[in-house]
Amino acid sequence: MNINSTINYCLGLSYYDLENFAGRNFMVVYDYVKSTSKANPNDVLIPTIFTCIASDGSLSEGEWKFIMTFIGGYSYNEALATAGEFYCQEAQNVVRDFINAFPSNVREAYINMCLAVLSVDGRISNYETCFLNNIL
């Protein structure tokens, strides 16, 4: 998987197309987790999404609005506090181990979903790129 080409792809999409791209990839991961685990897929995926968002130490309002379209249920302040809980190396290690257990197509869908979320504000920071490279 070439992260830089996917970043460029995501940055070139309209908001609507980015939303569709994220949603399609989220469903690939959701369906896989649902079919292979007894856990509620949202209970497993939502913390990993917040870990991805928290990788640069912030949560933009654009990122918050975007993720609410497919995970819902968080005010901005709640989402900010939740992202803060997952701003740590331990959470990143859990995500790395989690996605490395996926088959390659599901791992790619997870990364695509994260890249879509991270690019919604028109940029992906070096911290976010480093996080993604480290979990692969």
Side-chain angles (χ1 to χ4, degrees), residues 7-62:
I7 289 171
N8 290 332
Y9 174 77
C10 288
L11 291 174
L13 292 175
S14 70
Y15 187 88
Y16 176 77
D17 290 336
L18 192 61
E19 200 172 51
N20 283 333
F21 181 72
R24 282 192 320 271
N25 284 285
F26 176 82
M27 288 310 300
V28 168
V29 180
Y30 181 95
D31 290 342
Y32 177 79
V33 171
K34 185 177 179 181
S35 71
T36 60
S37 173
K38 293 181 182 181
N40 178 332
N42 283 330
D43 292 344
V44 174
L45 292 176
I46 290 173
T48 70
I49 292 169
F50 276 112
T51 301
C52 186
I53 291 169
S55 63
D56 68 348
S58 68
L59 171 69
S60 73
E61 189 172 332

Side-chain angles (χ1 to χ4, degrees), residues 49-81:
I49 292 169
F50 276 112
T51 301
C52 186
I53 291 169
S55 63
D56 68 348
S58 68
L59 171 69
S60 73
E61 189 172 332
E63 289 170 340
W64 167 70
K65 287 178 181 178
F66 190 76
I67 64 170
M68 289 307 104
T69 63
F70 57 94
I71 67 171
Y74 291 84
S75 70
Y76 178 74
N77 288 335
E78 291 169 331
L80 188 60

Side-chain angles (χ1 to χ4, degrees), residues 79-129:
L80 188 60
T82 303
E85 291 174 31
F86 293 102
Y87 180 61
C88 63
Q89 189 61 49
E90 181 182 346
Q92 291 182 16
N93 292 343
V94 169
V95 170
R96 184 192 61 234
D97 294 344
F98 177 66
I99 69 162
N100 282 325
F102 290 159
S104 61
N105 66 315
V106 179
R107 184 173 36 254
E108 184 173 334
Y110 180 86
I111 297 297
N112 287 342
M113 174 191 61
C114 284
L115 286 171
V117 170
L118 296 174
S119 67
V120 73
D121 54 9
R123 63 174 181 76
I124 296 182
S125 74
N126 289 337
Y127 293 109
E128 293 164 334
T129 303

